[in-house]
Amino acid sequence: MMIKKFRLQATAAFGIESVVADEIKALGFDQVLVENGRVEYDSDLAGIVRSNLWLRSADRVFIKLAEFKADTFEALFQGVRQIDWAAYIPQDGTFPVNAKSVKSTLFSLSDIQSISKKAVVEKLKETYKTEWFNETGPRYSILVSILKDNVIVLLDTSGEGLHKRGYREKGNEAPLKETLAAALVRISRWRPFIPLIDPLCGSGTLLIEAALIGLNQAPGLNRKFDSEHWHWMPASVWDFERNTARNMIRKDTNFMLEGYDIDPRSIRIARENAEKAGVSQCIHFQTRDVAELSSKDKYGYILTNPPYGERLSDLRQVEKLYSIMGDRFVKLDTWSWYVITAHEGFEAAFGKKATKNRKLYNGRIKCYFYQYFGPKPPKRVVEESENI
């Protein structure tokens, strides 16, 4: 039986749910509901594919299979067993079960996993009339997520997290997830005609994500997903959506982003990553100290992820770096500056209070996105730039 309609759930890092929701709406999806750490929406088969290919800031895309209350393992077992698992998982399917539990009566993850797995097996036995499942086929990963005794059962369409674009095999010491990098570019409202510099670019993630946005290149175009191997997901749908995405890449763009770092190894890695991502023609990387930052452009953006100084021994050095950044950035006083850091005292060290501040999470690290808005360019400048 072909399943036609789905309720999807795109998970997101705390603080960027609204960015993910905007991306989902821009892709044309309906009934979008924003909650902590996730965005739900209605979709069809093609929408599953489109979501995985195009969502830049989401962590994963799940199919929501059920939602129910459970404060006992019996209630959990019965709730999971109610799902028509054979509509999703074939007899040879591999179906690992993962679990999350927050502020719930059922808190043992291993017990939640084993009882949910047993419930899935019992339900599949009814359809396939067998006592044993070899699980040698494609992967159908199940997530049982419990929050305050409310259970949501999800099927993972993505496989590896969506931040795995396929271009970053190597990184520097303080990697920024590709999904968060894309969200920061979105929050800054950067557009391709605006000059953009990352003066502490590390492995180049912020600039590569900006280039992918500028070229309108789907971030998931060069990777694989679990759901493309599913028996009820026609290969033709994937082929059509991938070809459509390839045809939507802009060929007539003429923007150049700039990335600098004092570490030559980081610059080498950044160039390799940009090459793998197919955006090397849009980014100029150079070994250069932030203390030498300058630009001939009257208006532009600085967007950067400097070291945080998480170890006490690094704090003084990092605060000195922030002070140097403040001295150099202020010389570009008609530019806008955007800085993400976990350092609570950034503004004091930098020497200027941000226009706006947004709390975000880089993995498990609580960070702040400091936004310093420069003056708006005159309308004439914007119009001339857009015609480049």
PDB file of all heavy atoms in Angstrom, residues 170-184:
ATOM      1  N   LYS A 170      37.586  17.200   6.745  1.00  0.00           N
ATOM      2  CA  LYS A 170      38.535  17.673   7.756  1.00  0.00           C
ATOM      3  C   LYS A 170      37.998  18.970   8.351  1.00  0.00           C
ATOM      4  O   LYS A 170      37.288  19.715   7.699  1.00  0.00           O
ATOM      5  CB  LYS A 170      39.900  17.973   7.115  1.00  0.00           C
ATOM      6  CG  LYS A 170      40.553  16.775   6.438  1.00  0.00           C
ATOM      7  CD  LYS A 170      41.800  17.233   5.713  1.00  0.00           C
ATOM      8  CE  LYS A 170      42.383  16.119   4.870  1.00  0.00           C
ATOM      9  NZ  LYS A 170      43.456  16.619   3.994  1.00  0.00           N
ATOM     10  N   GLY A 171      38.375  19.231   9.595  1.00  0.00           N
ATOM     11  CA  GLY A 171      37.950  20.476  10.236  1.00  0.00           C
ATOM     12  C   GLY A 171      39.063  21.028  11.089  1.00  0.00           C
ATOM     13  O   GLY A 171      40.103  20.412  11.253  1.00  0.00           O
ATOM     14  N   ASN A 172      38.835  22.211  11.650  1.00  0.00           N
ATOM     15  CA  ASN A 172      39.818  22.739  12.586  1.00  0.00           C
ATOM     16  C   ASN A 172      39.362  22.420  14.004  1.00  0.00           C
ATOM     17  O   ASN A 172      38.466  21.626  14.211  1.00  0.00           O
ATOM     18  CB  ASN A 172      40.026  24.252  12.351  1.00  0.00           C
ATOM     19  CG  ASN A 172      38.718  25.012  12.543  1.00  0.00           C
ATOM     20  OD1 ASN A 172      37.653  24.435  12.711  1.00  0.00           O
ATOM     21  ND2 ASN A 172      38.816  26.328  12.504  1.00  0.00           N
ATOM     22  N   GLU A 173      39.973  23.058  14.992  1.00  0.00           N
ATOM     23  CA  GLU A 173      39.716  22.673  16.379  1.00  0.00           C
ATOM     24  C   GLU A 173      38.329  23.060  16.889  1.00  0.00           C
ATOM     25  O   GLU A 173      37.811  22.462  17.798  1.00  0.00           O
ATOM     26  CB  GLU A 173      40.787  23.289  17.287  1.00  0.00           C
ATOM     27  CG  GLU A 173      42.131  22.572  17.168  1.00  0.00           C
ATOM     28  CD  GLU A 173      43.169  23.189  18.079  1.00  0.00           C
ATOM     29  OE1 GLU A 173      42.809  24.035  18.901  1.00  0.00           O
ATOM     30  OE2 GLU A 173      44.336  22.814  17.959  1.00  0.00           O
ATOM     31  N   ALA A 174      37.731  24.117  16.319  1.00  0.00           N
ATOM     32  CA  ALA A 174      36.429  24.592  16.820  1.00  0.00           C
ATOM     33  C   ALA A 174      35.402  24.565  15.699  1.00  0.00           C
ATOM     34  O   ALA A 174      35.013  25.593  15.166  1.00  0.00           O
ATOM     35  CB  ALA A 174      36.572  26.004  17.371  1.00  0.00           C
ATOM     36  N   PRO A 175      34.985  23.347  15.286  1.00  0.00           N
ATOM     37  CA  PRO A 175      34.096  23.270  14.131  1.00  0.00           C
ATOM     38  C   PRO A 175      32.705  23.812  14.447  1.00  0.00           C
ATOM     39  O   PRO A 175      32.187  23.667  15.540  1.00  0.00           O
ATOM     40  CB  PRO A 175      34.032  21.767  13.839  1.00  0.00           C
ATOM     41  CG  PRO A 175      34.327  21.107  15.142  1.00  0.00           C
ATOM     42  CD  PRO A 175      35.258  22.027  15.863  1.00  0.00           C
ATOM     43  N   LEU A 176      32.137  24.455  13.453  1.00  0.00           N
ATOM     44  CA  LEU A 176      30.771  24.950  13.525  1.00  0.00           C
ATOM     45  C   LEU A 176      29.952  24.035  12.623  1.00  0.00           C
ATOM     46  O   LEU A 176      30.313  23.823  11.463  1.00  0.00           O
ATOM     47  CB  LEU A 176      30.742  26.386  13.000  1.00  0.00           C
ATOM     48  CG  LEU A 176      29.465  27.198  13.169  1.00  0.00           C
ATOM     49  CD1 LEU A 176      29.226  27.518  14.640  1.00  0.00           C
ATOM     50  CD2 LEU A 176      29.570  28.501  12.371  1.00  0.00           C
ATOM     51  N   LYS A 177      28.865  23.475  13.154  1.00  0.00           N
ATOM     52  CA  LYS A 177      28.043  22.590  12.328  1.00  0.00           C
ATOM     53  C   LYS A 177      27.544  23.332  11.095  1.00  0.00           C
ATOM     54  O   LYS A 177      27.151  24.498  11.180  1.00  0.00           O
ATOM     55  CB  LYS A 177      26.840  22.099  13.137  1.00  0.00           C
ATOM     56  CG  LYS A 177      27.006  20.714  13.717  1.00  0.00           C
ATOM     57  CD  LYS A 177      25.674  20.219  14.246  1.00  0.00           C
ATOM     58  CE  LYS A 177      25.810  18.788  14.739  1.00  0.00           C
ATOM     59  NZ  LYS A 177      24.549  18.281  15.278  1.00  0.00           N
ATOM     60  N   GLU A 178      27.523  22.632   9.976  1.00  0.00           N
ATOM     61  CA  GLU A 178      27.090  23.244   8.724  1.00  0.00           C
ATOM     62  C   GLU A 178      25.674  23.803   8.819  1.00  0.00           C
ATOM     63  O   GLU A 178      25.363  24.857   8.257  1.00  0.00           O
ATOM     64  CB  GLU A 178      27.168  22.212   7.589  1.00  0.00           C
ATOM     65  CG  GLU A 178      28.569  21.750   7.253  1.00  0.00           C
ATOM     66  CD  GLU A 178      29.075  20.590   8.097  1.00  0.00           C
ATOM     67  OE1 GLU A 178      28.617  20.410   9.244  1.00  0.00           O
ATOM     68  OE2 GLU A 178      29.940  19.840   7.613  1.00  0.00           O
ATOM     69  N   THR A 179      24.805  23.079   9.535  1.00  0.00           N
ATOM     70  CA  THR A 179      23.415  23.518   9.686  1.00  0.00           C
ATOM     71  C   THR A 179      23.324  24.823  10.471  1.00  0.00           C
ATOM     72  O   THR A 179      22.551  25.722  10.123  1.00  0.00           O
ATOM     73  CB  THR A 179      22.588  22.421  10.379  1.00  0.00           C
ATOM     74  OG1 THR A 179      23.344  21.879  11.478  1.00  0.00           O
ATOM     75  CG2 THR A 179      22.269  21.292   9.418  1.00  0.00           C
ATOM     76  N   LEU A 180      24.122  24.956  11.530  1.00  0.00           N
ATOM     77  CA  LEU A 180      24.124  26.193  12.312  1.00  0.00           C
ATOM     78  C   LEU A 180      24.749  27.325  11.499  1.00  0.00           C
ATOM     79  O   LEU A 180      24.271  28.466  11.533  1.00  0.00           O
ATOM     80  CB  LEU A 180      24.884  26.005  13.629  1.00  0.00           C
ATOM     81  CG  LEU A 180      24.992  27.239  14.530  1.00  0.00           C
ATOM     82  CD1 LEU A 180      23.622  27.819  14.849  1.00  0.00           C
ATOM     83  CD2 LEU A 180      25.747  26.912  15.808  1.00  0.00           C
ATOM     84  N   ALA A 181      25.814  27.011  10.760  1.00  0.00           N
ATOM     85  CA  ALA A 181      26.450  28.028   9.907  1.00  0.00           C
ATOM     86  C   ALA A 181      25.444  28.601   8.915  1.00  0.00           C
ATOM     87  O   ALA A 181      25.355  29.819   8.726  1.00  0.00           O
ATOM     88  CB  ALA A 181      27.647  27.423   9.175  1.00  0.00           C
ATOM     89  N   ALA A 182      24.668  27.721   8.289  1.00  0.00           N
ATOM     90  CA  ALA A 182      23.647  28.174   7.331  1.00  0.00           C
ATOM     91  C   ALA A 182      22.607  29.048   8.027  1.00  0.00           C
ATOM     92  O   ALA A 182      22.173  30.070   7.484  1.00  0.00           O
ATOM     93  CB  ALA A 182      22.975  26.974   6.678  1.00  0.00           C
ATOM     94  N   ALA A 183      22.221  28.661   9.254  1.00  0.00           N
ATOM     95  CA  ALA A 183      21.239  29.443  10.008  1.00  0.00           C
ATOM     96  C   ALA A 183      21.775  30.844  10.315  1.00  0.00           C
ATOM     97  O   ALA A 183      21.038  31.835  10.228  1.00  0.00           O
ATOM     98  CB  ALA A 183      20.867  28.721  11.301  1.00  0.00           C
ATOM     99  N   LEU A 184      23.057  30.945  10.650  1.00  0.00           N
ATOM    100  CA  LEU A 184      23.652  32.254  10.958  1.00  0.00           C
ATOM    101  C   LEU A 184      23.647  33.154   9.722  1.00  0.00           C
ATOM    102  O   LEU A 184      23.388  34.363   9.821  1.00  0.00           O
ATOM    103  CB  LEU A 184      25.075  32.086  11.486  1.00  0.00           C
ATOM    104  CG  LEU A 184      25.227  31.305  12.798  1.00  0.00           C
ATOM    105  CD1 LEU A 184      26.692  31.231  13.206  1.00  0.00           C
ATOM    106  CD2 LEU A 184      24.400  31.927  13.916  1.00  0.00           C
TER     107      LEU A 184
END
